[in-house]
Amino acid sequence: MFAVLLGTPDVSAQSKSGRSYYVYVCAESDDEVALVRFGPSGTEILKRISVGSFPAENEGPHGINISPDGRYWYVSLAHGMPFGSVHKYETGTDQWVADVTLGMFPATLDIAASTGLMYIVNFNLHGLMEPSTVSVVETQSMTEIAQVETGVMPHGARLSHDGRWLYTVSMMNDKLVELNALTFEVSRQLDLGNPVGNGRVGMESVEVAGLVQPTWVSRPTPQGKVYVAGNASNEIFEVDLDTWMITRQFEETGAGPYNLDVTPDGRILVVTYKKDAAVGFWDLETGDELGRITTLRTVPHGVAITTDGRYAFVTIEGVGGEPGGLEIYDIETRERVGDVEVGKQAGGVAFWKMEP
């Protein structure tokens, strides 16, 4: 059971913890990244950083993440001509450092603290329905050192805490994929849906399902689980990493669960419902949805939870020419406690730091 809170007003514009929290937010249609602070004085944009190399073209900043030591941020420019790229910036100064060209439509990314290697899914949004790859990048030199074939339209890359395993989903053939992050080999795949047919791609036959259309997978929890958003099937899968089996399916979700994140203790799941303009909060012990809040704008996209587990930062794409948004939610009370307008089609969001 859950309480549906429609149009919940902002109950506070300030951080109740007394801390300030900093996040970077992508605006895909504006080729812009915003640095936002949420703290005792409210929510404010500290800086807007233009990204990309071709001012006359929309290059589409899509995925963003912070290096484990907090010194750099990395953003994928997905559109490309034809290949996309990832760019490295210094946090604080937000000065460009380097870039690397990757595959078709590089999207989400994560960086291993143990090795410094970065893993980026090449989503191949506009290409044929054929298996695509995960790029592996050495971040000091910004050199691509490997591409690993995974599935059709890979998305939602997240590493285990020890940096040994990368988890991603293949959106158009309904698979959860585990990649050995040290040997660059696919170790396990899990079917999430039943195939509806085979799609011919050149001389090869590729099994294409698309019943589930998974879009994101969570980082592994302390309890040894990952959670997968089934965007087309309107459900969330719980997968046990020891048995590599689906242990629960949360079916009473909002329409189009898209992105999700779990609190550091593995107790609460926060998920964006892209087609329902809402954010859901799930108790992972009981399997109950604790609350669902309607967002101020339509098309919620990304979610990032702070390292202290207190707040969830949610990006809102908006539609047409309207601005995107960033909304902040208190996870314990499930109330919206801040929001700010950002650039158009806000998507990728990455938590940087908190002070003090």
Side-chain angles (χ1 to χ4, degrees):
M1 298 296 292
F2 60 86
V4 179
L5 307 176
L6 300 179
T8 303
D10 295 349
V11 298
S12 171
Q14 300 175 341
S15 162
K16 297 178 183 178
S17 70
R19 294 172 168 169
S20 291
Y21 301 83
Y22 297 79
V23 296
Y24 284 93
V25 180
C26 293
E28 191 162 345
S29 290
D30 278 345
D31 283 357
E32 180 181 276
V33 172
L35 175 59
V36 179
R37 178 175 61 199
F38 169 65
S41 59
T43 311
E44 59 181 330
I45 295 177
L46 299 180
K47 193 183 299 185
R48 296 178 186 265
I49 306 109
S50 294
V51 296
S53 305
F54 305 99
E57 302 289 337
N58 176 227
E59 296 179 69
H62 184 87
I64 191 166
N65 218 326
I66 313 294
S67 63
D69 61 9
R71 294 179 58 196
Y72 301 100
W73 54 274
Y74 301 86
V75 61
S76 64
L77 300 185
H79 296 181
M81 295 183 294
F83 301 111
S85 57
V86 166
H87 292 242
K88 177 180 182 179
Y89 290 79
E90 186 178 63
T91 54
T93 67
D94 300 307
Q95 293 297 308
W96 181 89
V97 177
D99 67 87
V100 58
T101 299
L102 302 174
M104 302 286 278
F105 207 97
T108 51
L109 54 99
D110 206 355
I111 306 107
S114 55
T115 63
L117 295 177
M118 177 167 52
Y119 303 82
I120 310 99
V121 295
N122 294 305
F123 187 50
N124 194 17
L125 176 63
H126 304 297
L128 298 172
M129 287 292 119
E130 61 187 8
S132 189
T133 60
V134 171
S135 289
V136 184
V137 172
E138 195 284 309
T139 53
Q140 185 170 353
S141 64
M142 288 298 283
T143 302
E144 184 184 48
I145 59 175
Q147 277 199 22
V148 185
E149 186 175 291
T150 56
V152 183
M153 297 180 79
H155 203 258
R158 282 186 172 134
L159 284 156
S160 60
H161 291 283
D162 60 10
R164 294 184 59 192
W165 309 100
L166 179 77
Y167 295 93
T168 182
V169 292
S170 301
M171 181 175 167
M172 294 309 294
N173 62 329
D174 287 351
K175 293 185 187 295
L176 170 65
V177 178
E178 180 186 72
L179 177 73
N180 187 317
L182 301 180
T183 65
F184 311 151
E185 298 172 320
V186 172
S187 54
R188 296 187 290 187
Q189 296 189 65
L190 181 65
D191 288 314
L192 300 171
N194 296 315
V196 296
N198 290 324
R200 295 294 298 180
V201 180
M203 299 299 292
E204 300 177 354
S205 180
V206 176
E207 188 177 68
V208 177
L211 293 178
V212 175
Q213 293 187 13
T215 46
W216 273 91
V217 57
S218 73
R219 195 178 306 280
T221 69
Q223 295 81 2
K225 314 286 188 183
V226 294
Y227 296 86
V228 179
N231 185 253
S233 59
N234 297 325
E235 59 189 325
I236 296 167
F237 299 85
E238 178 187 79
V239 176
D240 184 280
L241 294 179
D242 287 335
T243 64
W244 199 239
M245 294 179 62
I246 297 169
T247 47
R248 287 188 293 181
Q249 290 172 252
F250 305 153
E251 297 180 339
E252 295 184 5
T253 69
Y258 180 73
N259 199 334
L260 36 74
D261 201 4
V262 181
T263 53
D265 59 10
R267 291 192 315 108
I268 303 294
L269 173 77
V270 182
V271 56
T272 55
Y273 299 132
K274 201 167 188 179
K275 301 172 187 176
D276 250 1
V279 179
F281 300 81
W282 289 80
D283 183 319
L284 293 178
E285 182 176 356
T286 65
D288 294 330
E289 187 173 25
L290 301 173
R292 190 182 301 175
I293 302 178
T294 300
T295 54
L296 296 174
R297 298 175 180 81
T298 56
V299 198
H301 184 114
V303 55
I305 291 176
T306 56
T307 51
D308 61 1
R310 295 200 60 161
Y311 297 102
F313 288 77
V314 174
T315 53
I316 315 295
E317 293 184 21
V319 294
E322 69 182 28
L326 177 71
E327 300 183 9
I328 301 101
Y329 293 88
D330 185 306
I331 293 174
E332 182 178 358
T333 65
R334 298 176 297 282
E335 297 171 315
R336 183 169 47 244
V337 293
D339 73 274
V340 66
E341 285 189 359
V342 293
K344 294 189 289 294
Q345 200 182 351
V349 54
F351 173 73
W352 175 24
K353 66 177 182 177
M354 57 186 180
E355 295 176 340

